[in-house]
Amino acid sequence: MNNEASQKDRRSFMADAARVSAIVGAATFGGFLAGRKSHAAEVRWQIDPDKCVGCGKCASECVLDESAVKCIQMFDMCGFCDLCTGYFDPHYEQPLNTAAENHLCPTNAVIRTFIETQAGNKYYEYTIDVEQCIGCAKCVKGCALMNGSLYLQVMHDRCVNCNECAIAVACPSHAFVNVSAEKPYRLKKQAEHIIRRKAIEKDDKEAKELIDRVETFS
Amino acid sequence: MQRDTPKFGVLAVIAVLAGISALMISRSDRWSGSSERTASAYDLRLDDLIEIDPELIGFQLDHSVNLKLDRPRGICVGIDDRLIVIGDSQLQQYDASGTFINASRFNSEPRAVGTGSTRHHTPGRMYVGLDHQIALVDSNGQIAESWKVPGDAPEITSIAVGTDLIWVADAANRLVMGYDRDGKITDRVGVPKPDRDTPGFVVPSACFDVAVDDENLLHVVNPGRLRVEAYSGSRLESFWGEPSPRIDGFFGCCNPSHLSMMPSGEFVTSEKGIPRIKLYSPQGDFECVVAGPFELGLRKSEIGDPRSSIEQAVYDVATDQHGRVLVLDPKRKRVLYYKRTRPSTQELNSKEKAS
């Protein structure tokens, strides 16, 4: 009787073990398939320039000693003025004096270069010295008074792509978004409109390439 | 005990000296100290430019008209002070009391509008600038015909209607074209002629306005040079205006963004960036402020805000027969009517002469 009961228990144990193994195996295979299918694309942090308020936190909140956020110049929107409100302190006087105290940028990162004289006006090109720029957005706010061609972007040759970006946490306007690692930069909507028009109406090759390289809205 | 006293004294002197040194360093280094002080280095200080001396304001809000449009773009005033507004692929007409009359629809977004006064060959006709054409709209809202606009991707920003000619400003090609009554271009203003001192226009953005006075003299904003130029045909006659953040000048890279003329010949200008509506004499001397940022309902924080939803408010202006200034507020989708609160310098001068 005892022997029979013991044999029955062994059979039942073996059956249970087989069932558990089958369930575990099926779950593992299912998990593997689900994992393969839902494999997320790699993402990067980026600033949506249409949401940025230029608060200055990008300069101080980044985990890097020198912020990975820098200003960029979108020449299709502007960039060739004589009197740039992203370069000069708004309390300028005529004649324009480019002495340090009249610079808006606290680190002298906006570079003013004479290009040509046209229609009786001097044209200067305004570019950003990336090494000097700290991403404070003072020039972004100054430029927003006029044509808004200066705006901030996370530079991906510097950004360490933290899982939780410290600037994104501090950003008051939720301007930090995740974008595809393949196209990690964004255009302002207005810039995209201008460049898209240039690409279509003027069949401009550079404009087409730029649209292909960046994350767009449409 | 006796040995420790001098040692303590030396330490005390060193500590005091170290304290004084630290204080001196922190006072001389403007970046040290509180984080507040460092943060203020990133602030854009505009307070004194935004706040306008009430003594300089010579107009007050009379009333406003709410528009049936989501994205109003431009205004002008027709015969009998009829209000004409463009936006949302439409042209809408309202009577002088603000009652909606009718709407004309287009296949694309209208960019500029102008209308003929009683001096025009077709009084009350409206001219609407579209992508590559000018649509001619009768006062009942019917589109009569359309003219082609030449040039590589034109950007029509303004239309002014004289007695015979219709002036169309194209910001992309930096030109003002004069059309005759048959739609033929007879004049081109802005083609550089250095030998005649007409170097052309500097147009850094899509703000490029024109107006015509009673004597058919064309007034063109040269925004990159921050001045208003007067042309007879394509010949430069005179100019006025200077770049300055002060209230009597034009601020920034490219202003004024809009221009209109009073029946008395004074100029009404609208600036972007720090929105200021101002009145200048027929000679171009600053007279008074019509409305500053606060009168237009703006908050301090909105000025210099780079968000696209906020930065793009540019206020078009027009005038009516009663000498009121109309301001299009695109954010709140309304037209603000401002009336004078004091006589103009011209009126004061003529009174003085009479007495």
Side-chain angles (χ1 to χ4, degrees), chain B residues 284-302:
Chain B
D285 299 318
F286 171 74
E287 292 254 324
C288 65
V289 174
V290 176
F294 296 146
E295 287 72 33
L296 294 167
L298 286 167
R299 291 188 302 271
K300 231 183 237 185
S301 62
E302 288 179 88

Side-chain angles (χ1 to χ4, degrees), chain B residues 290-334:
Chain B
V290 176
F294 296 146
E295 287 72 33
L296 294 167
L298 286 167
R299 291 188 302 271
K300 231 183 237 185
S301 62
E302 288 179 88
I303 297 166
D305 189 326
R307 280 178 291 180
S308 56
S309 55
I310 291 176
E311 71 177 337
Q312 287 165 356
V314 180
Y315 297 81
D316 195 4
V317 285
T319 56
D320 69 9
Q321 288 169 5
H322 296 92
R324 291 181 298 193
V325 175
L326 285 69
V327 181
L328 172 64
D329 179 353
K331 284 185 173 180
R332 293 171 182 82
K333 299 156 195 168
R334 61 184 182 175

Side-chain angles (χ1 to χ4, degrees), chain A residues 83-88 104-105 110 126 138-143 150:
Chain A
L83 205 165
C84 172
T85 50
Y87 177 84
F88 285 104
L104 191 61
C105 178
V110 185
Y126 295 87
K138 201 173 178 183
C139 63
V140 173
K141 290 176 90 172
C143 184
L150 294 172

Side-chain angles (χ1 to χ4, degrees), chain B residues 3-211:
Chain B
R3 267 193 211 162
D4 285 350
T5 311
K7 217 184 232 177
F8 177 76
V10 170
L11 281 174
V13 169
I14 291 170
V16 168
L17 286 173
I20 292 170
S21 308
L23 188 69
M24 287 174 73
I25 289 168
S26 69
R27 285 285 170 94
S28 62
D29 181 3
R30 66 193 185 97
W31 296 103
S32 71
S34 70
S35 58
E36 294 261 317
R37 201 190 299 170
T38 313
S40 70
Y42 308 144
D43 287 346
L44 189 67
R45 294 183 314 279
L46 297 168
D47 288 12
D48 54 331
L49 302 176
I50 295 169
E51 287 159 13
I52 290 168
D53 180 359
E55 288 292 308
L56 295 174
I57 300 175
F59 282 73
Q60 70 177 35
L61 185 66
D62 186 38
H63 68 281
S64 64
V65 172
N66 292 323
L67 303 171
K68 295 172 184 287
L69 291 168
D70 283 330
R71 296 178 316 281
R73 191 166 179 144
I75 53 169
C76 68
V77 174
I79 293 171
D80 299 331
D81 285 345
R82 185 178 281 204
L83 171 63
I84 299 156
V85 191
I86 51 163
D88 298 2
S89 304
Q90 294 179 45
L91 177 148
Q92 292 187 346
Q93 296 186 66
Y94 299 79
D95 70 17
S97 64
T99 308
F100 178 77
I101 302 171
N102 61 33
S104 313
R105 293 178 192 280
F106 308 100
N107 292 328
S108 60
E109 197 59 36
R111 296 166 188 277
V113 64
T115 185
S117 67
T118 47
R119 291 178 291 110
H120 187 52
H121 55 70
T122 316
R125 172 170 279 179
M126 293 162 282
Y127 297 85
V128 182
L130 301 164
D131 274 348
H132 291 88
Q133 57 180 345
I134 311 289
L136 280 62
V137 182
D138 289 333
S139 53
N140 59 7
Q142 295 297 310
I143 300 168
E145 58 178 303
S146 61
W147 300 336
K148 276 197 89 176
V149 177
D152 189 13
E155 181 79 43
I156 299 167
T157 50
S158 177
I159 296 176
V161 184
T163 307
D164 294 315
L165 294 179
I166 296 95
W167 296 99
V168 177
D170 173 3
N173 296 297
R174 288 171 261 166
L175 273 178
V176 181
M177 294 163 286
Y179 286 78
D180 67 10
R181 63 173 68 199
D182 301 320
K184 191 180 158 200
I185 296 173
T186 57
D187 286 88
R188 283 174 198 269
V189 183
V191 178
K193 292 173 192 160
D195 54 324
R196 292 189 189 178
D197 197 27
T198 49
F201 301 115
V202 182
V203 188
S205 68
C207 291
F208 183 37
D209 211 350
V210 289

Side-chain angles (χ1 to χ4, degrees), chain A residues 82-83 121, chain B residues 201-204 221-227 252-255:
Chain A
D82 176 16
L83 205 165
N121 230 35
Chain B
F201 301 115
V202 182
V203 188
V221 174
N222 194 344
R225 299 194 79 175
L226 298 116
R227 68 188 199 186
C253 71
C254 32
N255 262 318

